[in-house]
């Protein structure tokens, strides 16, 4: 081939190559357009940002696209914040020339496909703030040219793939605000060009890899709000370029490594919310570029040893919620300090107010609250002239408030509550025209509230609760047009509410309770249209409520209890926003207005201790949110409306001390959240409804002083949470149900003054939590006292009096060492009392005739008394026997004497027959002398001799007639003797 042919062939090849190159370029551009139109069809575009994507327009003019310089390829696709939705189209992976892909801030769903690894030219991949889920594909490690990877703020889960360590060109890695777990891969140390690493707000755990120190270019490392643990690696101090280190809210432990002082360029260090302990390293003073330091909410201890003379760029210091001790160094601050914020709250700092801080003239916010600081506030405190927030609450500061505080003209928030500050509020407080919040509650301040305070026109919140302020509320209070909160509770304020208060039209919370205020509510209250809470209880307000209150439609909480208000409660029924209404202990009268039912959010309704009458409006059943209903101590009548059964959230129902009638409603058993049911002192009749056993959460059941009859239902045992059961003063009969043993949490049981019969069930001994009282008195209970009552070791009062209990007192009752009151009187108990009962009065056991032992008479005395009774009987018997025997002996003696006389008479008669009449006369004389001097002859011992001689005289001429007459004479004499 000659040179000419060679030249022609070369020219052909060159032209052909140019044609091919031109053709290839056109085809690439048209190919990209094809895929992009396919992508458009797959995405939902409500904002129309893809409308310009049309075959009629050149691809390089399409919205969001960037072409190469020769317009041959699409190299960037940026559709950020376009409200696009749908999943990432698979056609996207055909745009192999892409260098930038930004679909951030859209509503893209689905996962990141592994095909993303095909975009080998990609340098920037931004997909953050979508709804992407699934895991980060391992194939992402194939994007070797990638410099920016931001895929955070999605729902990505699983672990960070180690393949991410292959992205050696990576400078920005943003994986924050996802659900990533596992540990930070050690391969992260391969990213030597990494400048920005954001892993915060995930669920990452494990240690911070020591290899992190290889990322020598790293300037921002944020891994806060994870579950990282272990110690902060000392090697982190080698990151010389680091400007920001944020490891807050993890579980890092150990001490802060001193090596961290090697971060000579560090400007932001945040380690809050970990478990770091030990002292703050002094080496932190070497971080001369540091502007913000937050070590709060750890377990750091020791003293503060950071000095502003080294850290002159420091603007923010936060050491709150640690265990730091000692005082703040006197040279903590320089006069030309840049320190703006100093937060040292919730530590154990002690001493007086740190005077060294007065050099921090640049301070704007100072929080020393919740420490052990004491002493008086220095009068030079006004040196902190730029201070906007001063928080010294919850310390032990005393003394009075220095008047110089009025010179702190920039002060906006003053928190001095919970100290021991005394004295009055200085009138200079009125110079603080920027003051927005002043909290002085829980101190010991006194005096009047200065009228000058109302010059602080910017005030939004005043809280003086729990002091000793006296006098009246300033008349000019209405000047505080921006006031939202006025809390003056628990003071000694007196006088009426000033009418000007009604001009604080932004007022939302008004608390004047527990004072000595009086008078009526001012009519200007109608202007408080934003008022949501008003508490005036425990004062001496009186009179009817102004009708203007009806217009306060935003009221949510009203508490006017313990005052002297009268009239109707109708003016308080205008708000349908009410959640709590408490009017107890007043003199309100009339009926309960049915309009209360419009307050459908009402949760607490307390109208007790008033003069309300009529019946309960059935409309109250519309209050579906009602939790607490207290209508006790009124004059309400009628039956309880069944509509209340729809108040299924009721936990407290108190209707006691009224005049309700009818049967006790069975629908009460449907109120399953009921914790307190108090229906006592009414006129309810019928039985205790068995359905009450369904109220399994009931803690207190009080039905005493009604006319209830029938038996106590066995279902009472289902109330296993019951603490108090009071059924006394009814007509209940039958036995005490043994199922009561299931109420194991009972600490007060009163069943007295009923007609209960049968024995005391031994199962009561299983109620071991009984403490306040067990009262079964004035019933018809019989049998013995069960020994199981001795197991009620916590019981303080036991009353079984006025029953028919018998038997001996069980010795187990001696175990009740907590008893302070015992009454077993008026039963049929017998036996000896244990010595453990000797401390109780005799009245505790009176009316039991066969009971003895201290404090009653001793059992020996009782036995002696019985013996005395037996001896008296014996004595009577003996006396009767003696009298009878004596009588018999006397009669026998008389009989013998008469016989003797008769015999002697026969002898004499016989002699007279022989010797004539002179013998008879002589015998008469001798006989007369013998009767006359018989005693004397007995004394001389002659009586028996005479008797004997006469007995030996033989009868002569014995005659039956005479004998008969003598016998008859003896019989007649014995009749005279009464024998």
């Amino acid at each position: 081939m000659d040179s000419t042919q060679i030249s022609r062939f070369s020219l052909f090849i060159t032209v052909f190559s140019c044609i091919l190159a031109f053709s290839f370029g056109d085809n690439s551009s048209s190919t990209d357009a094809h895929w992009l139109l396919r992508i458009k069809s797959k995405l939902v575009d409500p904002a129309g940002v893809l409308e310009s994507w049309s075959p009629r327009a050149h691809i390089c003019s399409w919205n969001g696209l960037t072409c190469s310089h020769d317009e041959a390829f699409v190299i960037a696709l940026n559709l950020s914040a376009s409200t696009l939705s749908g999943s990432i189209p698979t056609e996207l992976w055909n745009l192999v020339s892409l260098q930038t892909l930004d679909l951030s801030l859209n509503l893209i769903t689905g996962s990141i496909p592994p095909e993303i690894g095909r975009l080998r030219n990609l340098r920037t991949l931004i997909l953050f703030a979508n709804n992407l889920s699934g895991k980060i594909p391992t194939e992402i490690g194939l994007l070797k040219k990638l410099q920016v990877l931001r895929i955070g703020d999605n729902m990505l889960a699983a672990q960070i793939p180690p393949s991410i360590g292959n992205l050696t060109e990576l400078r920005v890695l943003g994986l924050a605000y996802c659900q990533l777990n596992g540990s930070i891969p050690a391969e992260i140390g391969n990213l030597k060009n990494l400048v920005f690493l954001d892993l915060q707000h995930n669920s990452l755990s494990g240690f911070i890899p020591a290899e992190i120190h290889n990322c020598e270019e790293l300037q921002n490392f944020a891994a806060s709000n994870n579950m990282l643990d272990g110690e902060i690696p000392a090697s982190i101090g080698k990151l010389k370029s680091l400007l920001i280190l944020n490891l807050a809210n993890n579980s890092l432990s150990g001490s802060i490594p001193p090596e961290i002082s090697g971060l000579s360029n560090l400007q932001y260090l945040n380690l809050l919310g970990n478990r770091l302990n030990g002292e703050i390293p002094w080496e932190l003073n070497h971080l001369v570029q540091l502007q913000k330091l937050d070590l709060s909410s750890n377990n750091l201890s020791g003293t503060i040893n950071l000095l502003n003379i080294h850290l002159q760029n420091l603007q923010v210091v936060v050491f709150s919620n640690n265990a730091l001790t000692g005082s703040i160094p006197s040279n903590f601050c320089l006069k030309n300090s840049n320190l703006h914020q100093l937060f040292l709250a919730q530590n154990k700092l002690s001493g007086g107010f740190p005077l060294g801080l007065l050099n921090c003239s640049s301070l704007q916010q100072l929080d020393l609250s919740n420490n052990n600081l004491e002493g008086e506030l220095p009068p030079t405190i006004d040196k902190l002239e730029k201070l906007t927030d001063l928080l010294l609450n919850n310390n032990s500061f005393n003394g009075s408030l220095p008047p110089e505080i009025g010179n702190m003209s920039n002060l906006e928030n003053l928190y001095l509550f919970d100290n021991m500050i005394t004295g009055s509020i200085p009138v200079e407080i009125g110079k603080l025209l920027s003051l927005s919040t002043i909290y002085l509650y829980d101190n010991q301040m006194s005096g009047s509230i200065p009228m000058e305070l109302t010059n602080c026109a910017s005030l939004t919140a005043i809280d003086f609760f729990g002091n000793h302020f006296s006098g009246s509320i300033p008349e000019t209070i209405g000047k505080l047009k921006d006031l939202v909160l006025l809390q003056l509770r628990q003071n000694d304020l007196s006088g009426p509410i000033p009418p000007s208060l009604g001009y604080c039209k932004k007022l939302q919370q008004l608390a004047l309770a527990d004072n000595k205020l009086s008078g009526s509510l001012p009519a200007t209250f109608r202007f408080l249209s934003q008022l949501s809470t008003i508490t005036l209880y425990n004062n001496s307000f009186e009179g009817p409520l102004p009708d203007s209150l009806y217009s306060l439609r935003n009221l949510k909480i009203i508490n006017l209890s313990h005052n002297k208000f009268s009239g109707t409660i109708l003016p308080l029924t205008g708000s349908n926003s009410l959640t709590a209404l408490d009017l107890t202990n007043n003199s309100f009268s009339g009926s309960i207005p049915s309009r209360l039912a419009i307050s459908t959010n009402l949760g607490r309704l307390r109208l007790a201790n008033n003069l309300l009458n009529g019946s309960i409006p059935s409309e109250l059943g519309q209050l579906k949110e009602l939790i607490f209903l207290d209508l006790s101590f009124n004059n309400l009548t009628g039956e309880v409306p069944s509509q209340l059964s729809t108040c299924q959230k009721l936990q407290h129902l108190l209707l006691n001390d009224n005049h309700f009638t009818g049967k006790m409603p069975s629908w009460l058993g449907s109120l399953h959240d009921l914790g307190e049911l108090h229906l006592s002192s009414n006129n309810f009749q019928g039985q205790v409804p068995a359905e009450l056993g369904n109220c399994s959460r009931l803690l207190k059941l009080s039905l005493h002083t009604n006319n209830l009859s029938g038996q106590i239902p066995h279902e009472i045992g289902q109330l296993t949470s019951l603490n108090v059961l009071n059924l006394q003063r009814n007509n209940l009969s039958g036995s005490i149900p043994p199922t009561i043993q299931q109420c194991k949490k009972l600490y007060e049981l009163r069943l007295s003054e009923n007609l209960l019969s049968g024995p005391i069930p031994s199962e009561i001994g299983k109620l071991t939590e009984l403490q306040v009282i067990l009262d079964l008195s004035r019933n018809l209970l019989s049998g013995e006292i069960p020994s199981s009552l001795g197991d009620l070791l916590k019981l303080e009062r036991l009353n079984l009096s006025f029953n028919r209990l018998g038997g001996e007192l069980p010795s187990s009752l001696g175990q009740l060492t907590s008893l302070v009151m015992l009454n077993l009187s008026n039963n049929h108990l017998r036996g000896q009392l244990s010595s453990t009962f000797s401390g109780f009065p005799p009245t505790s056991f009176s009316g039991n005739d066969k009971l003895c032992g201290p404090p009653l008479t001793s059992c020996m005395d009782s036995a002696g008394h019985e013996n005395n009774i037996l001896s008296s009987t014996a004595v009577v018997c003996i006396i009767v026997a003696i009298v009878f025997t004596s009588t018999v002996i006397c009669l026998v003696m008389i009989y013998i004497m008469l016989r003797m006389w008769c015999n002697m008479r026969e002898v004499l008669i016989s002699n007279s027959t022989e010797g004539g009449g002179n013998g008879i006369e002589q015998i008469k004389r001798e006989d007369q002398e013998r009767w006359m001097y018989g005693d004397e002859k007995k004394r001389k011992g002659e009586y028996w001799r005479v008797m004997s001689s006469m007995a030996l005289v033989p009868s002569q001429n014995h005659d039956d007639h005479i004998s008969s007459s003598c016998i008859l004479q003896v019989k007649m004499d014995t009749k005279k003797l009464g024998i």
Side-chain angles (χ1 to χ4, degrees):
M1 187 177 290
D2 59 15
S3 59
T4 304
Q5 288 177 329
I6 292 172
S7 299
R8 288 176 178 175
F9 182 74
S10 300
L11 179 63
F12 171 77
I13 292 298
T14 302
V15 171
F16 183 73
S17 299
C18 292
I19 292 172
L20 283 177
F22 183 78
S23 300
F24 182 80
D26 285 345
N27 287 339
S28 296
S29 178
S30 62
T31 300
D32 285 352
H34 168 74
W35 294 121
L36 286 168
L37 289 174
R38 293 281 301 273
I39 290 170
K40 174 184 177 180
S41 67
K42 297 290 182 66
L43 294 173
V44 178
D45 177 24
V49 295
L50 303 180
E51 287 183 358
S52 62
W53 291 21
S54 170
R56 295 188 296 272
H58 193 276
I59 187 173
C60 295
S61 67
W62 290 4
N63 181 41
L65 297 185
T66 301
C67 293
S68 58
H69 291 298
D70 56 4
E71 297 187 348
F73 308 100
V74 175
I75 60 173
L77 174 59
N78 186 348
L79 296 176
S80 176
S82 300
T83 66
L84 298 174
S85 60
S87 58
I88 299 177
T90 55
E91 291 80 1
L92 191 61
W93 317 129
N94 294 303
L95 303 177
V96 293
S97 300
L98 272 182
Q99 299 177 16
T100 299
L101 175 59
D102 187 352
L103 298 178
S104 62
L105 298 163
N106 281 291
L107 302 171
I108 306 295
T109 56
S111 61
I112 302 175
E115 290 82 1
I116 198 168
R118 294 165 55 182
L119 301 179
R120 301 297 177 85
N121 291 310
L122 210 57
R123 289 172 171 79
T124 301
L125 176 59
I126 303 177
L127 301 176
F128 71 86
N130 279 286
N131 294 318
L132 296 170
S133 57
K135 63 180 183 178
I136 301 174
T138 304
E139 290 78 3
I140 207 162
L142 300 174
L143 306 177
K144 298 294 183 63
K145 296 181 180 179
L146 203 61
Q147 297 178 7
V148 177
L149 176 59
R150 298 182 63 190
I151 57 176
D153 199 6
N154 279 288
M155 294 184 289
L156 299 171
Q159 300 183 359
I160 300 173
S163 62
I164 211 162
N166 300 330
L167 307 178
T168 55
E169 298 297 320
L170 202 63
R171 296 179 59 81
V172 175
L173 177 57
L175 304 178
Y177 294 94
C178 289
Q179 300 170 16
L180 301 172
N181 53 44
S183 59
I184 301 173
E187 289 79 1
I188 209 87
N190 299 335
L191 308 180
K192 298 184 182 298
N193 294 307
L194 198 63
V195 174
F196 183 94
L197 175 59
D198 190 358
L199 305 176
Q200 60 188 342
H201 287 275
N202 279 287
S203 298
L204 299 172
S205 58
F207 298 168
I208 298 172
E211 291 82 358
I212 194 80
H213 76 273
N214 293 324
C215 304
E216 296 177 353
E217 301 296 323
L218 196 60
Q219 297 179 12
N220 188 329
F221 178 28
S224 62
N225 296 91
N226 280 284
M227 295 183 289
L228 300 173
D229 53 22
E231 298 185 356
I232 300 173
S235 59
I236 208 166
K238 297 180 180 179
L239 300 175
K240 304 294 183 182
S241 300
L242 203 61
L243 302 176
I244 296 173
L245 177 58
N246 186 357
L247 302 177
N249 295 316
N250 280 284
S251 298
L252 299 171
S253 57
S255 58
I256 300 172
E259 291 81 359
I260 210 166
S261 62
L263 306 176
S264 55
N265 292 306
L266 197 65
Q267 298 177 5
Y268 179 97
L269 175 59
N270 192 346
L271 303 178
L272 81 88
N274 282 283
R275 300 175 183 173
L276 300 171
N277 53 39
E279 297 187 359
I280 300 172
W282 187 90
E283 289 81 359
L284 292 187
N285 283 301
H286 295 154
L287 302 177
V288 293
Q289 300 298 325
L290 201 61
Q291 297 177 13
K292 181 173 181 179
L293 174 60
D294 192 343
L295 306 179
S296 61
S297 299
N298 280 285
N299 299 317
L300 298 173
S301 57
T303 59
I304 298 173
N305 51 21
L306 296 184
L307 302 177
N308 193 230
I309 55 176
H310 302 294
L311 305 175
Q312 296 185 15
N313 291 309
L314 205 57
Q315 298 178 9
V316 178
V317 175
V318 187
F319 292 166
S320 300
N321 199 17
N322 279 288
L324 300 174
T325 56
S327 57
I328 300 171
S330 58
N331 55 349
F332 182 80
C333 258
L334 294 175
K335 290 187 177 180
N336 56 351
S337 166
N338 289 314
L339 194 62
H340 296 155
Q341 298 173 316
L342 178 59
F343 300 110
L344 304 177
Q346 291 184 317
N347 279 285
K348 298 178 181 179
L349 299 175
S350 57
F353 183 91
L355 298 178
L357 294 183
L358 299 178
N359 294 325
C360 301
S361 57
S362 58
L363 261 183
Q364 298 175 6
Q365 294 177 306
L366 175 61
D367 187 356
L368 302 178
S369 62
N370 289 279
N371 279 286
N372 299 321
L373 300 173
E374 58 187 4
E376 298 186 4
L377 299 181
T380 53
I381 196 169
D382 58 347
K383 287 185 177 181
L384 301 175
E385 55 186 18
K386 294 183 180 179
L387 206 63
T388 59
D389 300 290
L390 178 59
L391 290 79
L392 302 178
N393 52 282
N394 296 93
N395 279 287
S396 298
F397 289 115
N398 53 40
S400 59
L401 205 57
E404 290 80 4
I405 204 167
N407 298 328
M408 303 171 72
S409 57
N410 291 304
L411 200 60
E412 296 177 6
N413 298 295
L414 178 60
Y415 292 180
L416 298 176
F417 60 87
D418 204 359
N419 279 285
M420 294 184 288
I421 297 174
T422 57
S424 59
I425 301 174
V427 295
E428 289 80 2
I429 203 84
K431 296 159 62 176
L432 302 178
L433 301 183
S434 299
L435 193 63
S436 174
T437 303
I438 178 169
Y439 284 173
L440 303 179
Y441 62 84
D442 282 329
N443 277 286
Q444 299 172 17
M445 302 187 73
S446 57
S448 60
I449 300 173
M451 190 171 295
E452 288 78 3
L453 182 65
T454 62
N455 293 332
C456 305
S458 300
L459 270 174
T460 60
I462 297 175
D463 194 339
F464 294 166
F465 165 83
N467 280 282
H468 305 290
F469 292 116
S470 57
S472 59
I473 301 172
E475 291 288 339
T476 54
I477 192 77
K479 293 166 61 177
L480 303 177
K481 305 296 184 184
D482 294 326
L483 196 63
V484 175
L485 167 67
L486 179 59
Q487 170 64 275
L488 303 178
R489 186 183 154 216
Q490 279 194 17
N491 281 283
D492 296 318
L493 298 172
S494 57
I497 298 176
S500 68
L501 182 63
Y503 300 115
C504 302
K505 296 183 179 181
K506 294 183 180 180
L507 194 63
Q508 296 178 16
Q509 298 181 9
L510 175 62
L512 305 178
D514 295 306
N515 278 286
K516 299 175 183 177
L517 298 170
S518 58
S520 58
L521 300 186
T524 53
F525 264 35
R526 67 182 181 275
F527 301 127
L528 302 177
S529 58
Q530 297 186 33
L531 194 64
S532 64
T533 301
I534 176 170
T535 57
L536 306 179
Y537 57 88
N538 285 340
N539 279 288
S540 298
F541 292 114
E542 58 188 3
L545 300 175
D547 293 336
S548 56
L549 292 180
Y550 189 81
S551 62
L552 304 182
R553 301 302 171 90
N554 291 312
L555 275 173
K556 295 181 179 179
I557 299 174
I558 302 175
N559 192 337
L560 309 182
S561 63
H562 294 85
N563 278 286
K564 300 176 183 177
F565 288 114
S566 58
T568 68
I569 63 176
L570 197 60
L572 298 175
T573 61
S575 173
N576 56 7
S577 302
L578 267 182
T579 60
L581 176 61
D582 191 343
L583 306 179
T584 57
N585 286 91
N586 279 284
S587 298
F588 289 110
S589 57
S591 59
I592 300 173
S594 58
R595 268 194 62 86
L596 280 172
I598 70 169
S599 303
T600 53
N601 294 316
L602 194 61
R604 296 174 66 88
L605 177 58
R606 306 193 64 180
L607 306 178
N609 289 92
N610 279 285
L611 304 173
L612 300 173
N613 54 38
S615 58
I616 300 176
S618 59
E619 289 82 358
L620 294 189
Q622 301 173 26
L623 303 176
K624 309 298 184 185
E625 301 298 317
L626 200 60
I627 295 174
F628 202 122
L629 177 60
D630 185 359
L631 306 178
S632 60
F633 293 96
N634 278 287
N635 297 316
L636 299 172
T637 56
E639 297 187 359
V640 180
S642 60
Q643 287 81 356
L644 288 184
S645 63
T646 61
C647 302
Q648 287 293 302
K649 294 184 179 181
L650 260 180
Q651 297 177 13
H652 303 268
L653 179 58
L654 286 76
L655 304 179
N656 54 290
D657 292 272
N658 279 284
H659 304 292
F660 292 116
T661 55
K663 291 185 177 181
M664 192 159 289
S666 59
W667 52 258
L668 290 170
S670 67
L671 303 178
H672 299 301
D673 289 339
L674 203 61
E676 181 180 16
L677 179 60
H678 203 342
L679 304 181
S680 57
S681 298
N682 280 287
N683 295 314
F684 288 114
Q685 298 175 348
Q687 297 184 342
V688 177
E691 291 81 358
L692 286 179
N694 299 326
C695 302
S696 58
R697 298 183 181 179
L698 203 60
L699 300 177
K700 181 177 181 179
L701 176 59
S702 184
L703 308 179
H704 72 81
T705 320
N706 278 286
N707 295 316
L708 300 174
S709 58
Q711 296 186 346
I712 300 174
H714 287 269
E715 289 79 2
I716 208 81
Q718 299 174 21
L719 305 179
T720 55
S721 299
L722 202 62
N723 296 147
V724 176
L725 176 60
N726 191 342
L727 303 179
Q728 64 186 10
R729 299 193 190 99
N730 279 287
N731 296 314
L732 299 172
S733 58
S735 59
I736 299 173
T739 55
I740 202 168
Q741 65 175 312
Q742 298 166 214
C743 306
K744 295 186 182 299
K745 296 183 179 179
L746 268 178
Y747 62 78
E748 181 176 342
L749 176 58
R750 299 175 187 264
L751 303 178
S752 62
E753 299 184 58
N754 280 286
L755 302 173
L756 299 173
S757 58
I760 299 174
S762 60
E763 289 83 358
I764 285 186
K766 296 181 180 180
L767 303 177
T768 54
E769 294 299 316
L770 271 178
Q771 179 177 353
V772 176
I773 193 171
L774 170 60
D775 189 355
L776 306 179
S777 63
R778 297 183 184 275
N779 279 286
L780 304 174
L781 299 172
S782 58
E784 296 186 351
I785 298 175
S787 60
S788 61
L789 294 190
D791 297 330
L792 307 178
L793 301 180
K794 297 180 180 180
L795 194 62
E796 296 176 354
R797 291 187 290 171
L798 174 62
N799 192 347
L800 305 180
S801 63
F802 290 94
N803 278 287
R804 299 174 180 177
L805 301 171
E808 294 187 355
L809 204 62
S811 59
S812 60
L813 292 188
Q815 302 170 181
L816 304 181
T817 55
S818 298
L819 276 182
V820 295
M821 189 281 283
L822 175 64
N823 194 348
L824 305 178
S825 64
N826 296 285
N827 280 285
H828 305 304
L829 301 172
R830 57 183 173 80
Q832 182 174 355
L833 290 172
S834 169
S835 60
T836 55
F837 298 115
S838 60
F840 293 101
T843 53
S844 295
F845 309 100
S846 62
N848 293 282
D849 295 335
K850 297 184 180 181
L851 207 56
C852 64
L856 301 175
T857 58
S858 70
C859 292
M860 292 183 64
D861 292 340
S862 179
H865 179 64
E866 291 181 4
N867 290 334
N868 289 337
I869 294 174
L870 290 174
S871 298
S872 299
T873 305
V875 167
V876 170
C877 292
I878 291 170
I879 291 172
V880 171
I882 290 173
V883 170
F884 177 76
T885 304
S886 301
T887 303
V888 171
I889 291 171
C890 291
L891 290 175
V892 170
M893 290 292 292
I894 292 171
Y895 173 75
I896 292 171
M897 290 174 66
L898 288 174
R899 287 289 297 171
M900 290 171 61
W901 182 77
C902 287
N903 289 336
M904 187 173 18
R905 186 176 180 84
E906 288 176 2
V907 171
L908 291 175
I909 293 172
S910 176
N911 290 335
S912 65
T913 306
E914 294 176 1
N918 294 331
I920 294 174
E921 293 295 329
Q922 183 182 355
I923 290 173
K924 286 183 179 179
R925 285 194 300 269
E926 290 177 358
D927 188 51
Q928 186 176 3
E929 290 175 2
R930 182 166 52 84
W931 283 105
M932 186 177 299
Y933 306 109
D935 290 339
E936 182 179 352
K937 290 180 178 179
K938 277 195 290 183
R939 283 194 299 271
K940 293 179 180 179
E942 297 175 353
Y943 175 76
W944 290 110
R945 285 198 298 270
V946 173
M947 294 287 290
S948 298
S949 63
M950 285 191 295
L952 293 175
V953 175
S955 89
Q956 298 176 2
N957 300 318
H958 201 107
D959 195 315
D960 291 338
H961 175 74
I962 297 173
S963 179
S964 299
S965 63
C966 287
I967 292 171
L968 179 60
Q969 188 176 352
V970 170
K971 288 181 180 178
M972 291 176 61
D973 290 341
T974 56
K975 287 181 180 179
K976 291 179 182 179
L977 293 173
I979 296 175

